[in-house]
Amino acid sequence: PPAGPSKKKSRKHQRFMERRALLEQKGLLSSRRRLDSQTPVVGLEARSTLPKAGGTMALGCGKVPKPKQVTSPSLSPSASPDSIARHHSVLLSQGDGSSKGVRTSSPLVRMSSPLLRPGKYVAIDCEMVGTGPQGRLSELARCSVVSYEGDVIYDKYVQPELPIVDYRTRWSGITKQHMKSAIPFKVAQAEILKILKDKIVVGHAIHNDFQALKYFHPKDRTRDTSRIPVLNQRAGLPVRASVSLKSLARHLLHKKIQVGCKGHSSVEDAQTAMELYRLVEVQWETELARSLPPRPPSPVTDPTTCTSQYMDDRYWPTDLMASSL
């Protein structure tokens, strides 16, 4: 018989065993069964020569493809951010349960961090001024958006649609001088919403920011640090209490924000919210994945859906059927 199929199967099995050995070395897979004597074993010497992620390894049989990321077959590269977060949570739930954040997390967290797609996560904070009767209406005057790592993506002053009655400088930090370089609200709104599209957005009391933007973000893609009991618990505060960003930063991050009389910095507040999120990211996403209802299968990707049924007569318009008789 031709040796082609058996040879192909042997190479596939060999690649599988090499990947298995690599995962066992990194502690991502428990070695419950010993490898057969015929299976190439990756010894200590070979393991010591393994390069870091992104390289290839040679084990006497030539170069092999790069190790694939630890993903389930159901996760495609074009998966939506919320499904990525849900899948990421499942991976993290198999780890050591650490909630010290990405920087000090287990090898599993570091291994699966590319799945998290940090570029899909942003934090936002807005500063408002008073307009309308007696300045009671809050309108956007500054908006800052930072990345997963805390880098500033967007930070601009915004001219409200109504005349400013109260600058609220003590809290907003906005002055008349800032409005000279401000852009119109509609322009800022379009720029900001373009950034937030398809992102998972982090913020503190973030509903106020969305209200100022006159925008509604999907709930399953919103992470509000004022509504997560685990933060209060770690800070030693009442679980159901509404704790300010300033207080959480002091207790958990050991830093002082919103000090002085010059008002808040929306960049600093957005960065702080992202730091708090990353502090409890593993536990938060795990609990969120358990609470979110499963998404219904897409009719396009559902293998049980057959488009041929729509050619049946019962789906044709009545007038079309009458004209064809």
Side-chain angles (χ1 to χ4, degrees):
S6 60
K7 185 176 181 181
K8 183 176 181 181
K9 180 178 180 181
S10 175
R11 289 179 179 176
K12 183 177 180 181
H13 180 71
Q14 188 175 15
R15 289 197 300 269
F16 166 76
M17 298 310 300
E18 289 168 357
R19 287 197 296 270
R20 177 188 178 94
L22 179 61
L23 294 179
E24 290 179 357
Q25 176 203 354
K26 292 183 176 292
L28 305 181
L29 186 65
S30 59
S31 54
R32 295 181 180 177
R33 297 180 300 178
R34 293 185 176 274
L35 303 179
D36 298 332
S37 58
Q38 299 177 355
T39 305
V41 180
V42 181
L44 296 178
E45 296 180 359
R47 290 180 183 179
S48 62
T49 60
L50 290 176
K52 296 182 180 179
T56 58
M57 54 182 177
L59 296 175
C61 61
K63 294 184 178 180
V64 297
K66 298 179 181 179
K68 295 183 180 180
Q69 294 175 341
V70 186
T71 59
S72 67
S74 60
L75 184 62
S76 64
S78 58
S80 61
D82 48 328
S83 63
I84 293 169
R86 186 181 292 105
H87 177 76
H88 175 63
S89 303
V90 173
L91 289 177
L92 295 180
S93 65
Q94 300 171 0
D96 58 0
S98 172
S99 58
K100 295 182 180 180
V102 175
R103 297 176 184 174
T104 58
S105 52
S106 64
L108 177 59
V109 178
R110 293 195 299 271
M111 190 78 174
S112 59
S113 58
L115 299 177
L116 188 60
R117 292 188 183 180
K120 289 290 184 180
Y121 286 71
V122 296
I124 188 173
D125 188 76
C126 298
E127 301 297 342
M128 278 75 80
V129 293
T131 63
Q134 300 179 359
R136 294 181 178 178
L137 182 62
S138 295
E139 287 200 55
L140 181 67
R142 183 185 180 185
C143 181
S144 302
V145 182
V146 302
S147 68
Y148 183 82
E149 293 79 13
D151 300 322
V152 178
I153 299 175
Y154 187 93
D155 182 30
K156 291 185 180 181
Y157 292 98
V158 183
Q159 181 68 51
E161 294 181 307
L162 296 177
I164 300 176
V165 177
D166 184 0
Y167 283 91
R168 304 177 184 174
T169 306
R170 173 66 180 82
W171 298 276
S172 68
I174 305 296
T175 64
K176 188 176 181 179
Q177 187 71 20
H178 292 138
M179 290 297 102
K180 293 181 179 181
S181 60
I183 62 176
F185 172 78
K186 291 294 184 182
V187 176
Q189 183 189 46
E191 293 176 348
I192 297 166
L193 298 192
K194 186 177 181 180
I195 296 174
L196 302 186
K197 183 181 179 182
D198 298 329
K199 299 289 196 303
I200 294 180
V201 185
V202 180
H204 193 82
I206 199 171
H207 60 280
N208 294 323
D209 303 310
F210 290 153
Q211 185 176 0
L213 286 168
K214 299 180 180 179
Y215 168 70
F216 174 79
H217 198 69
K219 185 177 179 180
D220 59 348
R221 298 183 186 180
T222 302
R223 306 290 184 267
D224 192 341
T225 53
S226 70
R227 297 178 180 272
I228 176 65
V230 66
L231 280 173
N232 295 10
Q233 184 178 7
R234 290 194 61 171
L237 303 170
V239 175
R240 298 298 176 184
S242 179
V243 184
S244 67
L245 183 66
K246 181 177 181 179
S247 180
L248 288 175
R250 184 175 70 253
H251 284 87
L252 297 177
L253 304 177
H254 307 292
K255 73 175 187 177
K256 296 180 180 180
I257 63 171
Q258 302 176 356
V259 296
C261 301
K262 295 184 179 180
H264 302 175
S265 167
S266 52
V267 171
E268 183 181 53
D269 289 354
Q271 291 172 336
T272 302
M274 182 60 82
E275 286 185 63
L276 290 171
Y277 167 75
R278 294 181 63 173
L279 192 67
V280 295
E281 175 184 8
V282 174
Q283 185 175 353
W284 192 355
E285 292 293 345
T286 302
E287 294 177 358
L288 186 61
R290 293 170 181 169
S291 63
L292 287 177
R295 281 178 170 266
S298 172
V300 177
T301 58
D302 187 3
T304 61
T305 303
C306 181
T307 56
S308 61
Q309 61 175 321
Y310 296 109
M311 295 301 296
D312 212 351
D313 288 349
R314 57 196 174 115
Y315 293 102
W316 288 31
T318 307
D319 55 346
L320 183 60
M321 293 182 63
S323 61
S324 61
L325 295 177

